[in-house]
Every structure is written in C-alpha cells, then in structure tokens.
Amino acid sequence: MESFTSPTVTQRDQILVEQQVFNIFKTFYNMPPSSQSFMLELQRENHVEYLTNGLKQLGPSFCVLDANRPWICYWILHSIALMDEFVDPELEDNTIDFLGRCQDPNGGYGGGPGQMPHLATTYAAVNSLVTLGGDKALSSINRQKLYSFMRKMKDASGGFRMHDGGEIDVRACYTAISVASLLNILDDELVQNVGNYILSCQTYEGGISGEPGSEAHGGYTFCGLATMILINEVDRLDLSRLIDWVVFQQGVEGGFQGRTNKLVDGCYSFWQGGIFALLKRLNSTKGERSIPLGGGEDSDPESPQTTASSDATDEGLNEDLSQGGSHSEKADQHDTSSRVNVDKIDHNSSKGHAKVEPLFNSLALQQYILLCSQDLNGGLRDKPGKSRDHYHTCYCLSGLSVCQRSWLGDEDSPPLPRAVLGPYSNLLEPIHPLYNVVLDRYQEAEEFFTRS
Ligand SMILES: CC(C)=CCC/C(C)=C/CC/C(C)=C/COP(=O)(O)OP(=O)(O)O
Ligand SMILES: [Zn+2]
C-alpha cells in the first residue's frame, strides 16, 4: 500500500467540489417529485449487472489490478450480498476455485494464483468466502496453515507485517485480527502487544494513523478501533477525542473526508461511517464495559432512560448533524483478562442498548451517496466527475447500510421508513461492522467455525 503523499487540498479544490455538489442538489430540489424519487432510488438492477460482469472477468487473463484479485472478489460479492442478491451457482463455484488457487500451500492468500501470501488479500479472500457461505466455501480455508502464516507475520513489537519482509501498520493488525477472530483462531500469541501498537498510532487529533507519527486517517481509524474492540482493549483508546475527530470529518456536502482538510469521498461513508456503527454498539457488548455515547449521564444500560428504544424519535430524525453530548470516559484500567474474543459485539441481543442518536448526519450522508456517488447506469464512485469502480461501490453501499440503521437501538427490528432516504426499497442488508460482512453470512460462519 502506498504511503499517503497526496497534498492537503487547496481552498480552490474544496470550492470546486462544493460547487459541483451544490449544483447537483440545486438541480435535484428544482425537479418534480417523481424525478426526485428516481434520483434517490438505488439502481439495484444496474448495480448488480455491473458487479456480476466484473466477477465474470476474474480469470487467468484478467490482468488489471493483478495483485488485487481477491479484493475484487470481495468488493463485488459483498456489494451483491448487501443488495440481498446472489451469484449464479456456476459463477460461485468458479470463484471458490479461483480463491482456492490464490491460497498459498503454507497458508494465507496472495493477490492471484502463485503470488506471495499477503494479509490484506487474505482478509479479502476470507471475507469473500464467508460472504459466499456454504460448506464448500468455508471448508476451503486451511485454518491451521493460515494460523502459522499469521504467526510468521507477527513482529516482536506486537504489530503485524503485511507480508514476508513487508511493512508493519494498523491495516496489517486489523486484517490479521479480523481474520483470526472470524475463523475462531485468535489466541494470546496473536493478540500480544497489538493494543500497544494501535495505541501508539492514536494522534493528537484523536484519530488513528497508519503507523506511529503519521496523520490520522479514517481508513486506519476504522481498522484501529475495530482491532481494539476485537482484542477487548478498546477502553485504552481516548474514545472521547476519537469521537471528536470523526464527527468533524463530515463535510458540508454530507459525505466524509478521510482526513483533515481533504476532499469528501464516497468510500469514507464506510471507513468513517463504520466507526459510528462500532461506537454505537459498544454499549451492547457482552461483559462489563459500558461506554456512554451521546447519552450523557445515561450510562446505566438497565436504567429506564437508557433502555433500548426500538425506533428512532421524530425529533431526532429531524435534527441536523447531531454531535452528541458528553462522550466516553476512559476506563481506569483496561481489562486484558479475556484475550480471546469473547467480548464481541452481540448482534443477537436486544437488551442493554443505549438510546441511540447518530453522532453524524445520517440523512445528509445518504443524500451524498445516492445523488453524488451513484452512477445511475450501475456502480458507485468517489465523487461527481470520477468513474465508478468496485472499491467505491462496495464501501458506498456498506456506508449506506450503516446509515440506514444508525437510529436503531434494537438491531433486530427494521429501520423506520424515514431513516431510509429515498424509497424503502433502498434498504440494504445489515452488516457486522467489525468485519464488514453481511450479518447473516457472519452468523453462518461463526456457527461453522465454532463447531469445526
Ligand atoms: C482493511 C483495509 C486494508 C483497510 C484499509 C483502510 C484504508 C487505509 C483506506 C483508505 C485507503 C485510501 C485509498 C486512501 C486514500 O489516500 P489519499 O491520500 O489518496 O486520499 P485522501 O486524500 O482521501 O486521504
Ligand atoms: Zn475513495
């Protein structure tokens, strides 16, 4: 992965994007209601066609982004799953076989058949197989070898290397810990000192950088926060400053920027939006941790004020960007007693949820995704003027799913229609925010890897 070298944007770049976006909004608001409904509609059929065509091209002759083919599988399969669609059985079979050929005999997955195993493509391949689901896909993963690959990637400092001789960064920590957790092979050896590494990457701004001394960035903040939750050390982070940082990354356009003074981009709908989904669920984790989020003094999950409200309030949905009241208190001491991931976010429990108000403007983000990032012919993009691609399609849709549920206290009930911008048919499948896989696919995998 390249280091971030693109310069801070000039005021002119910023004004140009704002103008472009506001022109889109102006045109939209001047349209008759029937055309407005069309503009806000998720063009499911076109997206599925664009994605399915992409998947069909993944053969030996597919050379574009050659070292990224498991990623292309994941971006496409996850996007299709978010829309509750399926790929046909032959294509599914071919994809499982293809990923099998990317699996290294000594564990882990490379960017294509015969390529050196890499933690990022391992994460993409595993998430792809979990998304496909079923015995053939899930049992194709050699978990024993994968575990030994991960041990080889573990550095004495506690961090992980992306590949043999590769860079150590927060991405590597997240991809290793996420995969190990999902496959039920996470243990003390893998976890050791990861928390210290992530902690050393939280910057003065409150967000998390890719490596110590770099700039806070949404992609790394998501990775760092998810990792800390998975290893049960989240309360070591300064969550209050992290929240302050992330709420200020939402632009006037409604979309998120990845870092301070940069342009908004559709993919941060998930990298930044997913952070809110993680924070929202911290109060519903099993165990003793309870972090008050936007509920101020209502930190007791059993108290009447904080008992889950299964729906959003009218007042709340009409509010503009809600930045919440008091944020988290740092716990006095972190609990490392439970190294293995017993403290996962519990999506099956409807008990103990704090009253939820999003800490970001969920409707404004949905508007940015649908009006500015959506290519009506299929696929989603960074911003107006850019081309659609599978990466942005995946992360815009993942962000949209997060937005649609950002008011839900009880994840088991469907969102209110007014929490979903555009027609209710825009509603996407829920994801597990720690792994970014569709929730029911995660549940199938969890069950499979618990018993096998
Ligand atoms: C699981 C996994 C591998 C996660 C990776 C998360 C991550 C770091 C995402 C951001 C990657 C990206 C394309 C940054 C753009 O930097 P830029 O400088 O071109 O753009 P900017 O101006 O928006 O910062
Ligand atoms: Zn992007």
Side-chain angles (χ1 to χ4, degrees):
M1 177 104 164
E2 77 283 0
S3 61
F4 293 129
T5 49
S6 63
T8 299
V9 292
T10 62
Q11 213 174 359
R12 190 169 161 277
D13 295 329
Q14 177 61 41
I15 289 168
L16 283 176
V17 175
E18 278 176 26
Q19 271 173 355
Q20 231 174 345
V21 168
F22 290 152
N23 282 339
I24 292 173
F25 292 164
K26 206 164 106 191
T27 311
F28 172 77
Y29 286 114
N30 284 326
M31 283 175 169
S34 58
S35 312
Q36 285 187 350
S37 308
F38 176 74
M39 296 299 290
L40 286 178
E41 195 177 318
L42 191 67
Q43 300 299 315
R44 284 171 181 268
E45 261 180 48
N46 294 348
H47 296 320
V48 172
E49 190 187 344
Y50 164 68
L51 293 160
T52 308
N53 286 340
L55 196 59
K56 283 182 185 155
Q57 290 173 45
L58 279 176
S61 59
F62 187 75
C63 290
V64 184
L65 291 172
D66 185 59
N68 268 339
R69 280 181 282 172
W71 273 116
I72 297 172
C73 289
Y74 168 61
W75 297 330
I76 292 177
L77 292 170
H78 181 51
S79 301
I80 291 175
L82 278 163
M83 292 185 280
D84 199 22
E85 294 286 343
F86 292 86
V87 292
D88 76 57
E90 193 188 332
L91 193 51
E92 177 171 334
D93 238 41
N94 290 345
T95 309
I96 299 170
D97 292 344
F98 171 73
L99 291 170
R101 281 185 275 123
C102 295
Q103 187 164 210
D104 190 86
N106 294 316
Y109 292 78
Q115 292 184 25
M116 170 196 264
H118 191 288
L119 276 173
T121 42
T122 297
Y123 167 87
V126 167
N127 274 10
S128 299
L129 292 161
V130 165
T131 300
L132 285 171
D135 278 11
K136 180 175 173 184
L138 299 178
S139 62
S140 72
I141 304 167
N142 188 334
R143 286 193 297 160
Q144 241 174 355
K145 296 271 190 205
L146 186 41
Y147 177 79
S148 60
F149 166 62
M150 288 202 181
R151 288 293 299 274
K152 277 187 238 146
M153 295 306 107
K154 177 90 180 165
D155 186 70
S157 67
F160 285 85
R161 289 188 185 279
M162 292 292 339
H163 57 87
D164 194 12
E167 68 277 26
I168 300 170
D169 64 25
V170 170
R171 237 173 358 139
C173 296
Y174 169 66
T175 47
I177 298 294
S178 168
V179 165
S181 165
L182 200 44
L183 300 182
N184 199 19
I185 52 173
L186 189 63
D187 67 4
D188 284 356
E189 276 71 30
L190 292 177
V191 168
Q192 189 147 46
N193 285 330
V194 173
N196 291 340
Y197 182 80
I198 305 287
L199 217 54
S200 72
C201 296
Q202 184 165 26
T203 79
Y204 70 94
E205 287 191 283
I208 297 172
S209 60
E211 52 199 339
S214 294
E215 187 181 359
H217 191 284
Y220 294 120
T221 305
F222 172 85
C223 291
L225 178 64
T227 304
M228 291 300 260
I229 296 172
L230 285 167
I231 64 172
N232 198 24
E233 295 184 27
V234 70
D235 44 11
R236 297 181 68 197
L237 287 167
D238 187 337
L239 285 173
S240 181
R241 292 186 71 180
L242 191 152
I243 292 167
D244 282 348
W245 176 80
V246 67
V247 296
F248 283 108
Q249 304 307 310
Q250 188 165 27
V252 287
E253 304 90 336
F256 275 92
Q257 61 186 6
R259 52 190 165 128
T260 307
N261 287 331
K262 298 291 311 244
L263 300 176
V264 296
D265 173 342
C267 66
Y268 299 125
S269 307
F270 177 74
W271 298 120
Q272 304 285 25
I275 292 172
F276 293 101
L278 293 175
L279 293 168
K280 177 161 86 81
R281 300 311 302 258
L282 282 180
N283 262 357
S284 66
T285 51
K286 294 172 194 164
E288 72 288 355
R289 189 194 316 111
S290 173
I291 297 172
L293 294 173
E297 67 285 357
D298 301 341
S299 58
D300 174 5
E302 298 302 329
S303 80
Q305 296 100 315
T306 55
T307 303
S309 62
S310 62
D311 52 20
T313 61
D314 281 358
E315 306 88 89
L317 274 175
N318 290 332
E319 264 175 11
D320 274 352
L321 180 65
S322 160
Q323 292 175 357
S326 74
H327 300 316
S328 66
E329 297 293 330
K330 208 171 164 188
D332 295 332
Q333 280 181 338
H334 75 276
D335 168 22
T336 53
S337 59
S338 155
R339 285 303 197 178
V340 182
N341 183 21
V342 295
D343 203 16
K344 277 182 194 168
I345 288 176
D346 180 7
H347 283 275
N348 299 316
S349 163
S350 58
K351 203 167 160 274
H353 294 263
K355 185 181 165 207
V356 173
E357 278 187 25
L359 299 173
F360 67 109
N361 191 330
S362 159
L363 294 173
L365 179 55
Q366 293 180 63
Q367 180 168 275
Y368 180 82
I369 296 169
L370 293 166
L371 293 182
C372 303
S373 287
Q374 180 170 221
D375 182 332
L376 296 173
N377 295 315
L380 291 98
R381 62 189 168 212
D382 163 348
K383 58 173 65 61
K386 300 267 184 176
S387 303
R388 64 186 179 179
D389 61 63
H390 298 126
Y391 166 80
H392 285 93
T393 303
C394 168
Y395 290 107
C396 286
L397 292 179
S398 305
L400 194 56
S401 169
V402 163
C403 284
Q404 293 169 340
R405 287 170 183 78
S406 59
W407 293 90
L408 272 185
D410 170 7
E411 297 285 320
D412 294 334
S413 52
L416 283 182
R418 69 178 90 85
V420 176
L421 191 68
Y424 201 67
S425 58
N426 280 1
L427 185 65
L428 297 171
E429 292 299 297
I431 57 161
H432 193 309
L434 283 170
Y435 311 101
N436 197 16
V437 294
V438 163
L439 192 52
D440 63 9
R441 316 293 168 95
Y442 159 77
Q443 283 159 347
E444 183 195 347
E446 193 203 23
E447 209 253 309
F448 184 91
F449 294 120
T450 303
R451 75 180 139 79
S452 59

